[in-house]
């Protein structure tokens, strides 16, 4: 009950922020230079053609009228029509979310699990060789440009060794995969398409590895720091002094206390990963949300820009909300 | 590519030698990089945008130390010259973000009331996005070029500094020495400038170097996507982007060297930041 009230209050607080995002994107995309109409018309188009196209997309209306139309559509889940493709933005977005979520969710999951294991391992060996290696790895991971790492992995994994498929696409077209969710690996598993499972998994390895390395470093640092804090706490010292077995100390004390901070970290990292996927999708020609949003931005496709910016902001703040709820549920000291 | 985060580095080594080593190594890397950037014309035979008519994509060795790229330009020369732009934009942008963020944070934290409310709601909107996505959107709308890139990267980072300084100021505001200054007739601006500003900058000093590294990665990422600095200007991100097609064909020298240069510089900032953080932690204890 208390948690419900907390979630309700937080959702109410989100409304002004999201409304601010909606207004700001709407205005900025129109005020700043760039014309979405010119890019869809050929070089020989006349002023009359441009005017006709403007009328077709409602861009001839006064700006307050356009805004009210946009808001009215938002309420019913209608994000408008893409100027570039002429298709419904909601439909296009649904197609693009699957591939991106597939990348981000797999990468963040692997990174979180690895970070817990390595971070605790490193903290228990504080200031010894293993710990130093982990810290140096984390420093490198924090400093490496992901898009370049992706290229190096392609150079080694595809061009030199030939172990992985070319960085163009998410599954071999000749595997006859029936799209369901858009996440190819899941679709292949659901339809029981053996060759497609193998192909989708092989295509996933390099981009996921790129994301994992980029995302792992900040997580690892934080897990290590909070594990060290636990190790130095009086509660842990008392438990150790009582002669509790090593396993109990590790599982019952160290791991549990370290995990408390994890939800908020995972949320933060989810945001970093969302940013990185734009680059990683570009490197691996992964036709996902990032590529779609980037094209929208470059061509000033107003409805696409508005929809993608709003969805990202919404997903990001929602993930933080979920993290706070999980944190409160894990840690009885947190008052909500 | 984490932006601004305050993770306490719990140091085991208390005499501060480790922190010192980190600061020297990181600082050393940056000094070498800055020298290389400044002396680039002396260290290279070819200009950064000069085209060798004898051929494109020449392998490293001989006339061209690191070969030539798809346009027939010398890779070694471009890598060195690019350091000017990459380091320059990143450092300028972070400096601008610190100045703007600090001023806003001081105002919000000390004045409170509606100023605080308005500023913090704006900060909320900025922080509703992952930082790289925000940089991407702002630079796509604002356009590329030196000035716009500095503004973009500064704008994305300033809110975090505003929040940081505001939190410091709100604690400092309650201190007795501020009351003492008030009763002795100091003006609001005087208190902010003389008493609050110097003391609220402590966390900023630790974060700023780390942030410079992040700014370099962001700049290169934007240019890689074609939004920041464009060919033929020498910039690491756009050089890597140009080399993308060569990588699939197994030619490493057009995109690996600029990436390595970027990695080394960012590492320099990371080491410096980590050392400063470790030292600050040791002092606090």
């Amino acid at each position: 009950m208390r948690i419900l009230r907390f979630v309700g209050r937080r959702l109410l607080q989100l409304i002004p922020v999201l409304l601010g995002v909606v207004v700001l994107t709407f205005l900025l995309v129109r005020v700043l230079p760039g014309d979405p109409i010119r890019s869809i018309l050929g070089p020989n188009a006349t002023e009359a053609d441009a005017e006709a196209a403007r009328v077709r997309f409602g861009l001839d209306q006064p700006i307050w009228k356009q805004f009210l139309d946009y808001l009215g559509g938002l309420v019913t889940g209608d994000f408008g029509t893409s100027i570039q493709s002429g298709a419904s933005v909601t439909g296009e977005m649904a197609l693009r979310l699957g591939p991106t979520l597939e990348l981000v969710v797999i990468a963040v999951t692997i990174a979180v699990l690895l970070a817990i294991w390595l971070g605790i391992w490193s903290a228990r060996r504080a200031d010894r060789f293993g710990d130093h290696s982990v810290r140096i790895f984390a420093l490198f991971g924090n400093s490496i440009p992901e898009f370049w790492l992706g290229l190096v992995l392609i150079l080694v994994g595809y061009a030199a060794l030939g172990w992985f498929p070319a960085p163009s696409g998410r599954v071999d077209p000749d595997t006859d995969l029936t799209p369901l969710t858009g996440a190819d690996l899941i679709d292949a598993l659901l339809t029981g398409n053996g060759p497609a499972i193998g192909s989708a998994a092989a295509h996933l390895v390099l981009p996921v590895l790129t994301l994992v390395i980029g995302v792992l470093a900040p997580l690892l640092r934080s897990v290590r720091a909070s594990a060290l804090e636990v190790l130095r706490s009086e509660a842990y010292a008392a438990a150790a002094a009582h002669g509790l077995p090593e396993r109990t100390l590790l599982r019952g004390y160290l791991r549990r206390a370290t995990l408390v901070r994890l939800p908020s970290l995972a949320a933060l990292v989810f945001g970093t990963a969302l940013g990185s996927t734009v680059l990683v999708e570009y490197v691996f020609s992964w036709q996902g949300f990032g590529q779609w949003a980037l094209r929208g931005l470059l061509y000033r496709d107003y409805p696409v820009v508005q929809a993608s910016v709003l969805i990202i902001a919404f997903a990001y703040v929602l993930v933080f909300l979920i993290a706070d709820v999980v944190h409160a549920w894990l840690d009885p000291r947190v008052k909500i | 590519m984490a932006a601004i985060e305050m993770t306490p580095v719990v140091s085991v080594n208390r005499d501060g030698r480790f922190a010192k080593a980190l600061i020297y190594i990181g600082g050393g890397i940056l000094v070498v990089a800055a020298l290389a950037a400044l002396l680039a014309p002396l260290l290279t035979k070819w200009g950064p945008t000069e085209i060798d008519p004898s051929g494109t994509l020449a392998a490293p060795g001989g006339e061209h130390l690191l070969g030539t790229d798809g346009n027939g330009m010398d890779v070694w020369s471009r890598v060195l010259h690019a350091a000017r732009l990459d380091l320059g934009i990143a450092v300028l942008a972070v400096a601008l973000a610190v100045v703007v963020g600090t001023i806003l944070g001081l105002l919000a934290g000390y004045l409170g009331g509606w100023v605080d409310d308005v500023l913090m709601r704006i900060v909320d909107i900025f922080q509703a996005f992952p930082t790289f996505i925000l940089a991407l959107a702002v630079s796509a709308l604002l356009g590329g070029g030196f000035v716009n890139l500095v503004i973009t990267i500064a704008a994305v980072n300033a809110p975090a500094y505003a929040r940081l300084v505001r939190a410091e100021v709100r604690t400092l505001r309650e201190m007795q020495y501020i009351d003492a200054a008030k009763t002795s007739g100091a003006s609001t601006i005087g208190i902010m400038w003389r008493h609050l500003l110097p003391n609220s900058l402590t966390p900023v000093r630790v974060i700023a170097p780390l942030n410079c590294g992040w700014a370099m990665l962001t700049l290169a990422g934007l240019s890689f996507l074609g939004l920041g600095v464009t060919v033929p200007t020498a910039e690491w991100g756009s050089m890597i982007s140009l080399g993308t097609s060569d990588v699939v064909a197994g030619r490493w020298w057009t995109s690996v060297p600029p990436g390595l240069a970027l990695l080394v510089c960012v590492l320099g900032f990371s080491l410096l930041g980590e050392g400063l953080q470790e030292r600050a932690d040791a002092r606090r204890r």
Side-chain angles (χ1 to χ4, degrees), chain B residues 178-192:
Chain B
I178 298 296
D179 285 339
K182 256 189 238 166
T183 40
S184 61
S187 65
T188 305
I189 300 208
I191 291 178
M192 284 203 262

Side-chain angles (χ1 to χ4, degrees), chain A residues 135 143 148 221 225 232 271 300, chain B residues 8-10 130 140-141 255 270 274:
Chain A
R135 291 187 73 182
S143 313
W148 178 73
R221 282 167 57 106
R232 303 230 170 95
R300 296 290 186 283
Chain B
V9 180
V10 185
L141 296 178
S255 57
S270 302
E274 180 124 347

Side-chain angles (χ1 to χ4, degrees), chain B residues 92-161:
Chain B
L92 270 181
V94 171
L96 185 63
V98 167
V99 171
V100 173
T102 306
I103 293 174
L104 295 181
L106 272 176
L107 289 174
Y110 189 64
L111 298 179
W114 67 268
V115 180
D116 189 30
D117 282 339
V118 171
L119 285 176
M120 283 305 116
R121 288 301 81 74
I122 296 175
V123 168
D124 278 348
I125 294 178
F126 269 79
Q127 299 202 323
F129 296 97
T131 34
F132 183 72
I133 300 265
L134 193 61
L136 188 75
V138 174
S139 86
L141 296 178
L142 212 58
F146 189 87
V147 177
N148 282 346
L149 283 167
V150 171
I151 294 177
T152 301
I153 295 175
V156 170
N157 284 308
Y161 287 107

Side-chain angles (χ1 to χ4, degrees), chain B residues 30 94 98 161 203-215 265-266 268-274 276:
Chain B
L30 293 175
V94 171
V98 167
Y161 287 107
V204 171
R205 268 195 287 264
V206 174
I207 296 290
L210 289 174
N211 202 201
C212 281
W214 181 85
C265 283
V266 179
F269 280 119
S270 302
L271 288 167
L272 184 63
E274 180 124 347
L276 289 174

Side-chain angles (χ1 to χ4, degrees), chain A residues 116-150:
Chain A
I116 297 172
W117 179 68
L118 258 181
I120 292 181
W121 184 87
S122 172
R124 295 179 83 201
R125 281 158 195 76
D127 249 14
R128 296 218 304 260
F129 178 74
D131 178 44
H132 286 314
S133 326
V134 168
R135 291 187 73 182
I136 288 172
F137 167 78
L139 263 174
F140 267 91
N142 247 345
S143 313
I144 207 163
E146 283 107 338
F147 53 97
W148 178 73
L149 176 66

